[in-house]
Amino acid sequence: MSKVQIKVMDNGSLRVSGDFEVIDAEGNVFPTKEVVSLCRCGKSARKPYCDGSHRGVFESVERAVPAEEQ
Ligand code: FES
């Protein structure tokens, strides 16, 4: 089983890769690929996936703080 990685994209989606499932609140499984981009701006017409609608309207640049600095 490959480790799941979630990458917080600058001004955009959450890119998920690895061995994972995307499920709704009732436990139903969405169709997925090996790598998907989850919308975090709320503008996508294809939620929970990103459709590119964030471009130019969503700004969020997040950086992880190394554990030794927390
Ligand atoms: S993050 Fe891309 S459409 Fe929302």
Side-chain angles (χ1 to χ4, degrees):
M1 180 178 291
S2 63
K3 183 176 180 178
V4 175
Q5 184 178 60
I6 302 172
K7 184 173 184 179
V8 181
M9 304 303 291
D10 287 351
N11 305 315
S13 65
L14 299 173
R15 186 165 297 160
V16 184
S17 61
D19 187 14
F20 62 89
E21 287 182 323
V22 180
I23 60 175
D24 67 17
E26 297 177 343
N28 302 304
V29 179
F30 287 96
T32 58
K33 302 174 186 172
E34 281 186 31
V35 179
V36 299
S37 293
L38 298 176
C39 176
R40 70 179 175 119
C41 76
K43 305 267 186 226
S44 176
R46 295 182 42 240
K47 292 182 193 82
Y49 301 115
C50 170
D51 69 357
S53 296
H54 61 266
R55 293 188 187 104
V57 297
F58 180 67
E59 293 182 12
S60 179
V61 175
E62 307 296 335
R63 294 293 181 263
V65 177
E68 61 271 9
E69 294 179 21
Q70 294 181 3

